[in-house]
Amino acid sequence: MPLPASTIDAIAQRLDHAARDARGIRMVSDEHPEMDVADAYAVQDALRRRRLAAGLRLSGFKAGLTSLAKIRQMGVDSPVFGFLTADAAIADGAEIRAAAMIHPRVEAEIGIVTKTPLGSADCGIDEVLAAIDHVVPALEIIDSRYQDFKFDLRNVIADNTSAARYVVGLAPAPVTGLDLAALEVEIEKNGEVVASGNGAAVLGHPAAAVAALARHLHARGERIAAGSFILSGAVAEAIAVQAGDVVVSRVAGLGSVQARFA
Ligand code: 0L1
Ligand code: MG
């Protein structure tokens, strides 16, 4: 039996307050062990409604758990999806207050901006590529609202897949002539390379993750609007950060993007 609407709204409020107060909370399933994945997306929808009702603007979507290693680790057969709001966008190199989050981590991603609406039951890589206006190096700052960054699939979906902030690089590039799967990425923390990856680490191709997002939204009666910003998924492991840290992602042939924590 699905969780009642009043319970869904109460859980969304709890998660929203945890993010607002930068205070880790216990997993939702501790109190609601019966919560399933459909309930969890209903909580995420309620969280989105709360934020839009508070005046925030939907700027796009994200795919998460997109590496085969993470998918296997979580024992799932599909990535997870979340929403982005415009207030969470940080200018390249601008200061990000670490204390406003609980335990932030940074992921290097390929950011995608759409030029046409996207979404169909059988959306695939070609449909995604045709809908892309430009791509750009991006960083996602994830911050689980759960204590110790510990959760399972339904809990992380309810928590909007740990979405917290994102940084969009300043050098947009047309997708024509670019092989997104072949893009090589190096991630530096405080001047030292700490991780590397490539586009293929994202479900084999970043557009495959966006296609999965488009199919997910289509199944829920929604599409990706033209002009949306999409975080396609991490190309390497997430890097834990604190005040004073600087993380740079360098994408060969595409430029770089920086997150500076204070
Ligand atoms: O964006 C991501 O891949 C993160 C998804 C949620 C899992 C996590 O917080 O590590
Ligand atoms: Mg991510």
Side-chain angles (χ1 to χ4, degrees):
M1 261 238 311
L3 290 175
S6 56
T7 305
I8 297 281
D9 287 342
I11 299 169
Q13 183 186 51
R14 207 166 138 244
L15 285 162
D16 205 15
H17 287 180
R20 181 195 66 190
D21 303 340
R23 177 181 46 85
I25 58 173
R26 295 178 62 196
M27 281 191 287
V28 173
S29 59
D30 288 358
E31 199 183 333
H32 300 285
E34 71 280 30
M35 177 174 76
D36 63 15
V37 164
D39 291 322
Y41 274 114
V43 171
Q44 192 192 110
D45 288 345
L47 191 60
R48 197 208 296 193
R49 281 196 301 275
R50 279 181 67 83
R51 295 202 173 146
L52 299 190
L56 305 188
R57 184 176 65 79
L58 184 73
S59 54
F61 297 94
K62 63 166 280 189
L65 299 181
T66 45
S67 81
L68 292 179
K70 260 195 163 176
I71 286 174
R72 275 194 212 108
Q73 184 193 333
M74 298 290 283
V76 293
D77 56 7
S78 145
V80 291
F81 308 104
F83 67 88
L84 303 174
T85 51
D87 59 291
I90 308 281
D92 190 1
E95 202 172 272
I96 304 170
R97 214 162 66 79
M101 287 173 277
I102 304 162
H103 32 209
R105 297 179 183 178
V106 180
E107 295 182 329
E109 309 211 4
I110 307 299
I112 287 174
V113 175
T114 56
K115 62 182 176 193
T116 53
L118 184 59
S120 64
D122 55 0
C123 185
I125 289 179
D126 288 346
E127 195 175 326
V128 172
L129 293 176
I132 293 178
D133 185 68
H134 61 268
V135 298
V136 69
L139 292 167
E140 178 177 27
I141 295 107
I142 54 171
D143 187 37
S144 175
R145 265 56 66 170
Y146 301 120
Q147 290 163 358
D148 304 321
F149 229 108
K150 292 238 165 63
F151 44 74
D152 62 9
L153 188 71
R154 59 208 168 132
N155 281 287
V156 76
I157 289 169
D159 185 28
N160 194 22
T161 65
S162 307
R165 311 276 190 279
Y166 60 94
V167 188
V168 185
L170 289 172
V175 74
T176 319
L178 265 187
D179 179 356
L180 297 184
L183 289 174
E184 295 290 337
V185 183
E186 255 187 6
I187 303 149
E188 282 175 17
K189 180 179 172 183
N190 303 332
E192 280 186 27
V193 176
V194 290
S196 61
N198 57 34
V202 184
L203 283 189
H205 194 299
V210 179
L213 166 69
R215 293 194 300 272
H216 163 82
L217 290 173
H218 177 81
R220 302 168 60 79
E222 197 175 359
R223 315 199 272 184
I224 299 170
S228 295
F229 178 72
I230 302 165
L231 287 165
S232 57
V235 301
E237 67 266 29
I239 313 293
V241 286
Q242 58 187 10
D245 287 338
V246 178
V247 175
V248 179
S249 168
R250 297 184 196 286
V251 186
L254 210 58
S256 65
V257 57
Q258 184 188 85
R260 197 160 55 83
F261 294 86

